[in-house]
Amino acid sequence: MLPSLNLAAMEGVAPGLIAQGTSLINLLRQLGGASGVGLIGVFLEWRLNLHGRDVAAASTRRSCCSGR
């Protein structure tokens, strides 16, 4: 799929600018991938922090009230 997308993106580029066009496409793909991974990491960290507090609060209540 990616070779087809690269070919479609490069179709309108002048022959003398193919190297620059290819470099730009690769740069944008890498930036998009890195920012996507970063956003997913931030989202997962936020969710883990939120659920971690809920689990800690529930286990504290359970151990406090169980008489142990």
Side-chain angles (χ1 to χ4, degrees), residues 1 28 56 60-61 63-64:
M1 182 171 130
L28 293 175
T60 303
R61 280 189 302 240
S63 66
C64 173

Side-chain angles (χ1 to χ4, degrees), residues 36-54:
V37 168
L39 286 174
I40 289 172
V42 167
F43 176 74
L44 287 176
E45 182 67 28
W46 173 72
R47 294 287 293 176
L48 287 172
N49 188 20
L50 180 71
H51 289 296
R53 279 188 277 143
D54 292 345

Side-chain angles (χ1 to χ4, degrees), residues 1-47:
M1 182 171 130
L2 288 178
S4 299
L5 291 175
N6 281 349
L7 183 61
M10 295 299 295
E11 189 173 325
V13 177
L17 298 175
I18 288 180
Q20 289 85 355
T22 303
S23 298
L24 181 62
I25 289 171
N26 288 330
L27 172 74
L28 293 175
R29 282 178 44 198
Q30 288 180 358
L31 283 176
S35 61
V37 168
L39 286 174
I40 289 172
V42 167
F43 176 74
L44 287 176
E45 182 67 28
W46 173 72
R47 294 287 293 176

